[in-house]
């Protein structure tokens, strides 16, 4: 039951390099174009590396915390559920969700900020643009082309934000930023699913790591009101169960609000095609009330978790590792593996940024040790 304004694989704008459809069974391709996109992402090298990349906590700090991989899976799960409710294309939504963080550096935002600072004079570094670069160029798995040759719709969905300056260099997927248009509803849904996923799982990880406390969270309406509901229903509930019972209600509340508000917006505009969606402002949205609650939670996490002194210490180390790796590879290109030396012949700084951005947390730490610790040889 695909809505008329949903993305449709049969009407896709297509791939850069033309490909035959998959074999037909009863006249229908075994996999539609968006399924193939999703499958290619799961089989990519960058996707496997997400397992060892930081979301907030460095991968080796504990086995219980989210990584970029588990984060991406949670986003995919939420996004698919919302897409199904709105009769949007689930495969496309899932593909965008699984690909949305492929371009992240090691060490989360600290790593991205450090690499961006290193690249200041060379066009900068932005993880969202890098995700597109991974699927368009950096994955090398096909005989006939670089990248994964994904559909326009998937690529459009990956590119969440983009400056006009960068958009001008991106061709087809950059156009909407210049023309001030919106992406597909599948892409819009994934943006919100990303936000719902990380705000809520960071509360969970933050509490488990004891960097934030339940007492502090009483000032946050979204948390406090849902915790009160749980406690009324289960007065003797143990802490271990109280937290997930609260968080799943927070997620539910946001997802329900998002679906209701978005369906209202869609009904009001009454789009007849994906083109109508692209010409309209964002139709996927929270109500004003949910926006406020969500914002309050975000601000709380920024102040109390992302800038907790223990997280700051990790960020400072990450910045030092990234900056020193960048400086070493810029100073002497021959310190990089052959493949990256080759790329450096075309664009040295970009090749260094690509190499560093592709590293997992632990690989970056090891590479730093191999370069700077005199007792390490290989
Ligand atoms: Mg994300």
């Amino acid at each position: 039951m695909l809505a008329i304004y949903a993305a449709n694989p049969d009407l896709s704008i297509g791939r850069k390099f033309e490909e035959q459809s998959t074999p037909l069974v009863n006249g229908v391709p075994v996999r539609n174009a968006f399924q193939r996109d999703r499958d290619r992402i799961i089989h990519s090298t960058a996707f496997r590396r997400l397992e060892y990349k930081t979301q907030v906590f460095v991968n080796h700090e504990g086995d219980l915390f989210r990584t970029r991989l588990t984060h991406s899976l949670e986003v995919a799960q939420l996004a698919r559920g919302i897409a199904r409710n709105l009769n949007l294309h689930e495969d496309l939504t899932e593909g965008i969700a699984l690909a949305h963080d492929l371009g992240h550096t090691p060490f989360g935002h600290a790593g991205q900020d450090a690499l961006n600072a290193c690249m200041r004079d060379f066009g900068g570094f932005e993880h969202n643009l890098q995700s597109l670069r991974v699927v368009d160029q950096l994955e090398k798995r096909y005989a006939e082309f670089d990248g994964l040759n994904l559909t326009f719709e998937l690529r459009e969905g990956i590119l969440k934000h983009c400056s006009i300056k960068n958009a001008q260099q991106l061709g087809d997927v950059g156009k909407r930023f210049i023309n001030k248009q919106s992406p597909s509803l599948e892409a819009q849904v994934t943006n919100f699913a990303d936000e719902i996923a990380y705000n809520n799982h960071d509360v969970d990880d933050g509490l488990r790591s004891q960097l934030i406390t339940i007492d502090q969270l009483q000032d946050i309406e979204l948390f406090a009101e849902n915790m009160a509901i749980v406690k009324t229903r289960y007065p003797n509930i143990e802490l271990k169960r109280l937290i997930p019972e609260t968080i799943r209600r927070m997620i539910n509340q946001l997802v329900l609000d998002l679906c209701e508000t978005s369906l209202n917006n869609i009904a009001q505009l009454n789009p007849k095609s994906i083109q109508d969606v692209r010409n309209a402002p964002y139709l996927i949205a929270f109500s004003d009330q949910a926006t406020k609650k969500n914002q309050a939670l975000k601000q709380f996490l920024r102040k109390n978790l992302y800038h907790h002194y223990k997280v700051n210490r990790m960020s400072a180390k990450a910045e030092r590792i990234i900056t020193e790796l960048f400086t070493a590879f810029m100073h002497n290109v021959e310190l990089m593996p052959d493949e990256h030396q080759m790329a450096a012949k075309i664009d040295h700084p970009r090749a260094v940024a690509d190499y560093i951005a592709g590293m997992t947390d632990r690989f970056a730490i090891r590479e730093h040790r191999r370069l700077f610790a005199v007792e390490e040889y290989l």
Side-chain angles (χ1 to χ4, degrees), residues 254-297:
L254 291 173
V255 168
L256 275 176
D257 181 277
L258 189 77
C259 289
E260 275 173 22
T261 312
S262 305
L263 279 171
N264 271 332
N265 290 346
I266 293 167
Q268 266 183 28
L269 184 85
N270 195 17
K272 296 281 186 261
S273 68
I274 191 169
Q275 208 43 53
D276 288 350
V277 167
R278 290 194 169 117
N279 290 333
Y282 251 60
L283 296 174
I284 305 297
F286 286 132
S287 66
D288 290 345
Q289 205 195 9
T291 303
K292 269 189 211 132
K293 288 186 190 177
N294 189 54
Q295 278 305 113
L297 175 60

Side-chain angles (χ1 to χ4, degrees), residues 71 100-101 194:
H71 162 69
H100 86 284
D101 271 353
D194 186 19

